[in-house]
Amino acid sequence: MNNLLVRNGLVIDTEPQPTVVGTADVLVEGGRVAGVGPGLPAPADAQVIDATGMIVLPGFVDSHRHTWQPAIRAILPDATLGDYLERILGRYAPRHRPEDVYTGVLAGALECLDAGITTLVDWSNIQFTPEHTDANVAALRASGIRAVFGYCYGGDGGFDGMAAEGRRVRTQHFDDSGPGLLTMAIAALGPDLGGAERALHEWRLARDLDLPVTVHMGGLDTEAAARGLAFLRENALLDHPATHVHGTYYTDEHFKVIAGGGGTVSVAPTSEAALGMGYPPTGRARAAGVPTSLSADTVTSGPGDMFSLMRAAYLLERARPGGAGMGFTTRDALRTATIEGAEAVGLADVTGSLRPGKQADIVLLRTDLLGTAMAGNDPIAAVVLSGDTRCVDTVIVGGRVVKRDGRLLHHDVAGLLESLAASARHVIAAD
């Protein structure tokens, strides 16, 4: 039944705001957080994990990642968004076979778990055939991560094909039997990238299937940002649950419109800065009342761990001209990576904090490394400013231990790396 007692760690909780609880235990019963406090008794059947000398906190939430891309990691440094669209989506993506998708998504999801990311929005723009889609979902399920699968139709069946395939995926892979690890969203291209007509069909499909939308919007230029919001307003779509990915060209007033419609934002600070997509809008979105989250986006041009993302968001925000972002704190950065990230992707009642009743998605970080020593001075600042993937000792998803003593469990990582290398040879061979 996934009963655990995480004993004697330095606990950080994040709801409503990141707070250092102090030295305490976290009790997990039936895969859910049952209590947080000092000296909790361990049930007879509970696995006890000694967290002495470690920081214990909720797992991180990545709100937008093209998870299939590990085989082409770091292949596009020093590039622009135009380069990315041409080389990654135009050249390398079509070379991926279903087996390459499975390998890449499994490797990408395990990379997340290895780094303490327990919840992932997989923005899956690799679905050229039903076999590609099925391989993608199968890999997410096999990984053991908590994921929102973003359905982005890439077939040649037109709008009718998009709708039919979306219904098949919803029926075959996702049901309403309970809050399992995998849920589904519509990953929409339009209107910025796919045009208004496609966007209408994407939102209609989302409403027909009762699914949220995750959409790249506001990240091209100022005119496209204004035009996109006008499209949503004119078609009465502003109130449909949607995460706006990037939003770098939204004005402060635009963010207020999004907040008024109940929308959320996913900021990818490293790829936005690296690809010249505009200044990451983390603080501006939050100031307008929009739940704002962090995402890795793509490992072809940036890092894939939340420590890098938190630091990038924190430093870029505080570097805004005229000191406009100096109010953004390390606590704000941690919040966007945990409970606010969960709010942004519609999972705030499921994960993102250690509130009793939530799924037990928990991370234990070592503080006995030179880079994290003396973390007790300010544990939250230490996580944001000093943490890295080396310090991720233990990762728990829904009460199930998926990493322990610095090692991923349940998977043949060496064999997966061999498969990933073979996939990379196939995808890049034509260059």
Side-chain angles (χ1 to χ4, degrees):
M1 288 295 293
N2 295 340
N3 294 336
L4 302 169
L5 183 66
V6 180
R7 189 187 296 280
N8 203 42
L10 180 55
V11 176
I12 298 173
D13 202 1
T14 55
E15 189 177 13
Q17 296 293 332
T19 302
V20 179
V21 176
T23 301
D25 306 335
V26 179
L27 178 63
V28 176
E29 294 181 334
R32 297 179 180 272
V33 177
V36 178
L40 298 180
D45 61 345
Q47 176 186 357
V48 178
I49 296 177
D50 185 4
T52 301
M54 297 188 194
I55 293 173
V56 179
L57 73 161
F60 300 126
V61 177
D62 183 332
S63 59
H64 154 246
R65 178 186 294 238
H66 306 294
T67 316
W68 56 271
Q69 296 180 345
I72 49 175
R73 181 187 308 278
I75 204 167
L76 196 68
D78 314 319
T80 66
L81 176 61
D83 298 328
Y84 176 86
L85 296 174
E86 178 184 353
R87 289 187 58 190
I88 303 305
L89 300 187
R91 183 189 309 179
Y92 294 124
R95 297 178 187 172
H96 278 68
R97 304 160 296 183
E99 56 265 39
D100 300 315
V101 172
Y102 181 89
T103 298
V105 171
L106 181 57
L110 292 184
E111 175 187 355
C112 288
L113 290 174
D114 195 41
I117 296 169
T118 56
T119 298
L120 164 70
V121 175
D122 177 24
W123 217 104
S124 177
N125 53 347
I126 194 71
Q127 299 177 60
F128 303 117
T129 68
E131 290 75 24
H132 284 77
T133 301
D134 294 345
N136 194 315
V137 175
L140 290 175
R141 202 174 298 280
S143 73
I145 200 167
R146 187 178 307 283
V148 179
F149 172 68
Y151 168 75
C152 181
Y153 181 67
D156 57 6
F159 299 139
D160 290 341
M162 177 175 69
E165 175 66 358
R167 292 188 182 94
R168 180 193 72 84
V169 174
R170 178 75 166 87
T171 301
Q172 181 172 329
H173 294 296
F174 302 90
D175 59 36
D176 299 317
S177 61
L181 289 181
L182 263 59
T183 55
M184 182 177 172
I186 297 299
L189 287 178
D192 283 15
L193 299 178
E197 187 178 8
R198 172 165 176 145
L200 275 176
H201 285 272
E202 289 169 332
W203 255 265
R204 287 170 181 167
L205 180 60
R207 285 188 166 174
D208 288 346
L209 299 181
D210 192 25
L211 296 174
V213 169
T214 174
V215 58
H216 292 78
M217 282 185 66
L220 291 181
D221 55 51
T222 303
E223 289 185 5
R227 188 168 59 246
L229 282 187
F231 163 83
L232 295 182
R233 183 185 298 108
E234 291 163 3
N235 291 281
L237 298 174
L238 273 172
D239 63 344
H240 187 86
T243 300
H244 296 241
V245 177
H246 300 312
T248 47
Y249 289 97
Y250 282 144
T251 66
D252 294 349
E253 290 303 313
H254 289 155
F255 283 123
K256 291 178 183 178
V257 170
I258 293 170
T264 68
V265 166
S266 173
V267 177
T270 52
S271 67
E272 288 158 8
L275 295 173
M277 297 171 63
Y279 209 92
T282 315
R284 293 196 302 113
R286 298 181 84 241
V290 182
T292 303
S293 55
L294 301 180
S295 78
D297 191 359
T298 172
V299 297
T300 65
S301 308
D305 67 281
M306 189 57 67
F307 301 103
S308 296
L309 301 178
M310 286 190 291
R311 270 195 285 281
Y314 174 78
L315 295 172
L316 287 167
E317 189 60 31
R318 290 178 68 86
R320 283 173 56 199
M326 290 300 289
F328 190 83
T329 68
T330 52
R331 280 158 172 74
D332 293 328
L334 182 60
R335 195 176 197 282
T336 60
T338 53
I339 182 59
E340 199 163 335
E343 292 171 2
V345 303
L347 294 175
D349 290 336
V350 176
T351 189
S353 75
L354 301 178
R355 189 181 76 203
K358 286 194 178 185
Q359 293 284 318
D361 297 347
I362 304 170
V363 174
L364 278 62
L365 306 180
R366 293 176 59 180
T367 63
D368 61 346
L369 305 174
L370 288 173
T372 54
M374 308 309 296
N377 290 332
D378 187 330
I380 293 174
V383 171
V384 174
L385 301 180
S386 303
D388 59 36
T389 57
R390 295 174 305 153
C391 68
V392 181
D393 178 88
T394 300
V395 179
I396 301 165
V397 180
R400 179 175 183 249
V401 180
V402 299
K403 182 177 183 180
R404 186 77 178 100
D405 297 326
R407 184 176 64 87
L408 285 172
L409 310 177
H410 318 304
H411 290 277
D412 176 8
V413 176
L416 177 61
L417 291 174
E418 290 180 2
S419 297
L420 188 65
S423 181
R425 288 192 295 271
H426 166 76
V427 170
I428 302 172
D431 283 9

